[in-house]
Amino acid sequence: MPPIADVVPVAALLALLVTAYAHPRGRWEAAIGIAAAAAVLATGVLGTDALLEELRHLGPVVLFLVTILVVGDVCGRSGVFAAAAGLVRGLGRDHPRPLFTGVFVLAALVTTVLSLDATVVLLTPVVLVAAASAGVSARPGAHACLRMANSASLLLPVSNLTNLLAMRHLDLTFLGFAAVMAPVLAAVLVTEYAAARVLFRRELTEEADPAHAVPRRPAVPWLPVAVVTLMLAGFAVASPLGAEPFWVSGAAALVLAVWGLRRGHLTVPQAVHAGHPAFAIFVLSLGVVVAGLALGPLGELVHDALPDDTSYGGLLLVAVLATVLANLLTNLSATLLLVPMLAPLGTPAVLAALLGLNIGSGLTYTGSLANLLWRRTLARHGRRPSLREFHRVSLVVTPISLLVSVSVLALVAH
C-alpha cells in the first residue's frame, strides 16, 4: 500500500479538480481549497520553509489575478466590451465573414491585454448579442472567443496565469517575453483563423438576415481605455525594475473601482466580489497541493519523461507533455507541477511548456478553467454547446496550432 504522504496529495488534487468543474459558491470553493491544503500539510510532505517559499512565489501572482479581475469587471460594467463589439458589429450588416474577422481580432486583443477570463466571461456574451443583432450565426464568433482565450494568451506575461507562474523561471523581462513570443503568436493566429474559416465555412457564407437592423453603436468610455493602456505601459516599465505586475494592475484596479463607484457602475460589495477572493484562496491552496504532489510518484514520473535537451524534438516533447498534463490536471495545476522541473533546461523549454499549457489546454473541456467558464457563459444565454461541436473544432485545430507554434519557437527562442 502506498504511504499516506503519496495518497493524500493525489486525493486532495482530485477534490480540487472536482470543485473547479462543479464551480460551487465562493465560500465552498475556498473552504474545500483550505481543507485540501491542510490535508497535504498534515502529512508532513511539505515543511514550513517549503510552504512559505511556495506562498511567497504564488502570492504576487494571486494578487495580480484579483486586481486584473477587478479591472476587467469595471471595463465590462462601463461598456468597454459593448462599445468594442459595436465597432465590429456593423461589419456583419451584409455578410457574416467581416463580423467574424472583427470578433476574432477583438478576442485576441482582449485576451492579450486583460487575460483570458475577460474574453470568455465578459466578451463572449457581447459577441452573442452582436451576432444576433447583425442577423448572423453566433457559433463562429463564440468559438473564436474560446480559441483566442487559450491560444492568444501567449504574447504577454500577464495574458495568462500560466505565463506569470513561469516568469520566475525565465531569464526574460516583460518586453523580452513579448519579443520572443510575438512571432509565435502571429503564426498561431494565422493558423487558427484559417482553420476557423474552413470549419465554419457554412455559417460564414450565409447571408445576414436583413430583418435585423444594426442598433446604435454604444459610446466608448475613454477613461477605462486610457487606464488599461497606461497599465500595459506600466507593466513594461516595471518589469526591468523588478516590480511585480500586481502593483501596476492594483493601481489600475483602484483607479477604475473609484471611478466606477462615483459613476454608479458598481457598488462596494460588487467591487470586492469582482476580485473573486474565494478563487484566490483556491489558487493558493492548489499551489500547496501540487507542491506536495510534485514530491511524490507523479512528480517522479513527469521528471523521468522530460527530454535532455532543447532541440526541436525536445521542445515538441515538452509541449506535448504539457498538453497531456493540462488536460488531465487543468493547465494551472500542470504549470505548478511541470515548469519548475523544466527550469534547469532553460528558457526555450519553459516557453515550449507554455505552448502546451496555453494552446494545448484548448484540446478538451478539462484543459483549462476558461473552457468550463465559456461553456457556463453560453449556457446562461441559452446556447449550451455539445461535446461533439466543441471537439469538432478543438481536436482539429489544437494539434495543428501546437505544431506550428513549436516550429516557430524552435527558430526564435535560441
Side-chain angles (χ1 to χ4, degrees):
M1 180 178 293
I4 191 170
D6 292 340
V7 174
V8 170
V10 175
L13 180 62
L14 288 175
L16 293 182
L17 294 179
V18 170
T19 302
Y21 301 148
H23 196 54
R25 289 183 177 273
R27 65 175 68 94
W28 283 106
E29 191 174 48
I32 294 171
I34 292 172
V40 172
L41 293 175
T43 66
V45 67
L46 281 180
T48 302
D49 291 341
L51 172 63
L52 293 177
E53 181 72 7
E54 188 67 24
L55 294 178
R56 184 176 71 84
H57 288 305
L58 272 179
V61 176
V62 171
L63 286 173
F64 169 81
L65 170 66
V66 170
T67 53
I68 201 66
L69 286 174
V70 173
V71 171
D73 186 78
V74 176
C75 286
R77 291 177 183 272
S78 64
V80 171
F81 298 112
L87 293 175
V88 301
R89 183 169 50 210
L91 300 174
R93 184 178 302 179
D94 301 317
H95 201 277
R97 193 177 301 138
L99 174 61
F100 170 74
T101 301
V103 167
F104 185 93
V105 173
L106 179 60
L109 181 62
V110 170
T111 298
T112 297
V113 175
L114 291 175
S115 82
L116 70 172
D117 290 330
T119 303
V120 295
V121 176
L122 301 174
L123 180 62
T124 300
V126 177
V127 168
L128 296 178
V129 173
S133 64
V136 300
S137 172
R139 291 176 63 243
H143 278 272
C145 288
L146 175 63
R147 293 301 309 177
M148 291 300 95
N150 292 310
S151 297
S153 63
L154 298 172
L155 182 62
L156 302 179
V158 296
S159 302
N160 197 328
L161 284 189
T162 57
N163 301 348
L164 273 182
L165 289 169
M167 277 300 288
R168 66 187 175 99
H169 301 287
L170 294 170
D171 187 23
L172 294 171
T173 63
F174 183 91
L175 292 179
F177 184 97
V180 174
M181 296 301 264
V184 179
L185 176 62
V188 169
L189 292 181
V190 171
T191 303
E192 296 264 352
Y193 181 77
R197 287 286 298 270
V198 173
L199 291 171
F200 293 104
R201 60 189 179 276
R202 180 178 300 175
E203 292 89 342
L204 294 176
T205 55
E206 295 175 350
E207 293 296 326
D209 187 344
H212 290 76
V214 178
R216 185 177 179 180
R217 183 180 300 170
V220 178
W222 290 110
L223 188 135
V225 174
V227 170
V228 169
T229 302
L230 290 174
M231 181 181 70
L232 285 177
F235 290 143
V237 172
S239 178
L241 301 177
E244 294 286 354
F246 77 83
W247 290 110
V248 179
S249 58
L254 179 61
V255 170
L256 288 177
V258 171
W259 176 81
L261 290 169
R262 291 173 63 92
R263 296 291 295 268
H265 293 309
L266 76 168
T267 62
V268 172
Q270 288 172 333
V272 174
H273 179 72
H276 295 279
F279 184 63
I281 295 172
F282 183 84
V283 172
L284 286 172
S285 303
L286 180 64
V288 173
V289 170
V290 174
L293 194 68
L295 299 175
L298 179 59
E300 296 175 2
L301 183 64
V302 172
H303 187 273
D304 291 342
L306 298 180
D308 298 323
D309 56 43
T310 56
S311 62
Y312 178 76
L315 295 180
L316 185 60
L317 175 59
V318 167
V320 171
L321 179 61
T323 297
V324 172
L325 289 174
N327 287 279
L328 288 176
L329 308 176
T330 76
N331 59 350
L332 191 57
S333 306
T335 302
L336 294 167
L337 177 64
L338 178 61
V339 169
M341 298 182 187
L342 287 169
L345 285 176
T347 292
V350 176
L351 293 178
L354 289 178
L355 301 182
L357 296 166
N358 294 357
I359 300 171
S361 66
L363 188 65
T364 68
Y365 271 129
T366 58
S368 167
L369 295 180
N371 300 344
L372 299 171
L373 288 173
W374 177 81
R375 189 167 185 262
R376 294 190 192 108
T377 299
L378 291 186
R380 284 198 299 269
H381 291 79
R383 296 177 178 271
R384 185 185 299 273
S386 67
L387 285 174
R388 179 180 179 182
E389 179 181 337
F390 172 87
H391 289 106
R392 182 180 76 92
V393 177
S394 67
L395 294 179
V396 172
V397 183
T398 303
I400 299 173
S401 289
L402 195 62
L403 182 61
V404 168
S405 65
V406 172
S407 299
V408 176
L409 179 67
L411 293 175
V412 301
H414 291 90

